[in-house]
Amino acid sequence: HAIRGIVHRADAQLVLVDTPGLHRPRTLLGQRLNDVVRATLSEVDVVGFCMPADEPVGRGDRFIAEELSRLPKRTPVVAILTKTDKVGDADRIGARLLDVAGLGEFSGIVPVSAIRSYQVDVLAELLAARLPKGPALYPGGELTDEPEQVMVAELVREAALEGVRDELPHSLAVVVEEMIPREGRSPQNPLLDVRVNVFVERPSQKAIVIGAGGSRLKAVGTRARGQIEALLGTPVFLDLHVKVAKDWQRDPRQLRRLGF
């Protein structure tokens, strides 16, 4: 699904909509992810087309560029060359920028590094300048409109994919079953019980997520719990379970049950 992050500025409010990756779908899940992207493209005022500086322009980039070329001319597309910190040679970055420019007509092309905060402010200025005038859509201080359970599921999924993204890219779904305060705890010593199910498609994938003797699942839980506590501002007991939902990416009933 698309996740919205809100940037409050003195002169503008940027609502950044992060979508799934647009791609050639091989499963029903892939088709639905593309539907989310296309619906989002029809609703936004500016499109940011992100490409990593440390990878050559490929078929996937050309596929997305072709899709974006069909947008109405009133929707500007800004090409964003990300991860420039991973490319030490300025000549290589320049070559990548030329490759990007060859993909289409863009309203702007900006190289950035989020890690080093390189030109992130330039990108924000460029995006803000292309927004229509109007009232703020969200109150000051709000950073996202995502429900807490959705954010928790995202944090668990990111932790579970760490190091195995190539093996389990879209085969892993996360559902937060419940988030409830622990009974009998005082307001000064709260604890939130969070029960989460991680779904994969095959037993072999389940073994990857769990790891030898459960070591990897324990590491996933430790990492995710720290991030969830930082997000919610309260101590958390995270109860993780890995389950097999056979070929869920192709099953309409299971897709609905998993929130797709």
Side-chain angles (χ1 to χ4, degrees):
H1 59 283
I3 295 178
R4 279 169 287 278
I6 304 146
V7 179
H8 302 275
R9 295 163 49 97
D11 60 337
Q13 185 180 79
L14 297 174
V15 182
L16 306 176
V17 188
D18 185 20
T19 69
L22 191 62
H23 63 290
R24 297 185 188 277
R26 297 177 181 174
T27 65
L28 181 57
L29 172 65
Q31 293 174 24
R32 293 191 177 176
L33 293 179
N34 276 355
D35 289 344
V36 171
V37 179
R38 292 190 175 106
T40 302
L41 289 174
S42 69
E43 297 169 352
V44 298
D45 299 306
V46 186
V47 173
F49 178 17
C50 296
M51 288 161 279
D54 61 333
E55 298 177 17
V57 168
R59 286 184 299 175
D61 299 314
R62 295 186 183 93
F63 173 75
I64 296 172
E66 185 178 340
E67 286 271 340
L68 296 179
S69 70
R70 302 191 186 105
L71 290 174
K73 294 299 182 184
R74 67 176 181 273
T75 305
V77 178
V78 175
I80 307 168
L81 191 69
T82 65
K83 303 182 181 180
T84 58
D85 55 280
K86 292 191 173 184
V87 182
D89 188 343
D91 290 338
R92 283 180 60 201
I93 293 176
R96 287 284 176 270
L97 290 170
L98 289 174
D99 292 340
V100 170
L103 288 175
E105 294 186 18
F106 299 112
S107 177
I109 302 176
V110 187
V112 301
S113 167
I115 292 291
R116 296 180 180 170
S117 296
Y118 171 65
Q119 295 212 137
V120 174
D121 56 341
V122 173
L123 176 60
E125 291 284 347
L126 189 144
L127 295 175
R130 285 156 177 75
L131 293 178
K133 291 184 178 179
L137 300 177
Y138 294 91
E142 193 163 337
L143 300 179
T144 183
D145 61 357
E146 289 297 309
E148 287 182 344
Q149 288 199 352
V150 172
M151 298 298 290
V152 167
E154 287 291 328
L155 292 174
V156 172
R157 187 173 189 275
E158 283 297 312
L161 284 174
E162 182 71 23
V164 295
R165 200 172 293 272
D166 291 339
E167 299 167 88
L168 306 171
H170 289 304
S171 301
L172 191 147
V174 176
V175 176
V176 177
E177 295 294 335
E178 65 179 11
M179 291 172 51
I180 55 175
R182 177 74 61 87
E183 291 185 5
R185 303 290 287 240
S186 68
Q188 294 76 31
N189 186 31
L191 184 65
L192 187 68
D193 286 313
V194 179
R195 187 162 63 88
V196 177
N197 287 329
V198 177
F199 292 93
V200 293
E201 292 192 293
R202 297 185 294 276
S204 60
Q205 295 172 337
K206 180 177 180 179
I208 291 173
V209 175
I210 293 175
S215 59
R216 191 168 183 283
L217 187 62
K218 182 179 179 180
V220 169
T222 299
R223 182 177 181 210
R225 186 179 69 250
Q227 294 177 328
I228 294 168
E229 289 179 340
L231 172 72
L232 302 179
T234 187
V236 165
F237 176 81
L238 180 60
D239 184 20
L240 282 180
H241 297 271
V242 184
K243 299 185 177 183
V244 176
K246 186 177 179 182
D247 294 330
W248 64 263
Q249 293 187 65
R250 295 168 173 81
D251 185 338
R253 183 177 300 176
Q254 293 199 84
L255 280 173
R256 283 195 300 271
R257 185 163 63 90
L258 296 176
F260 295 99

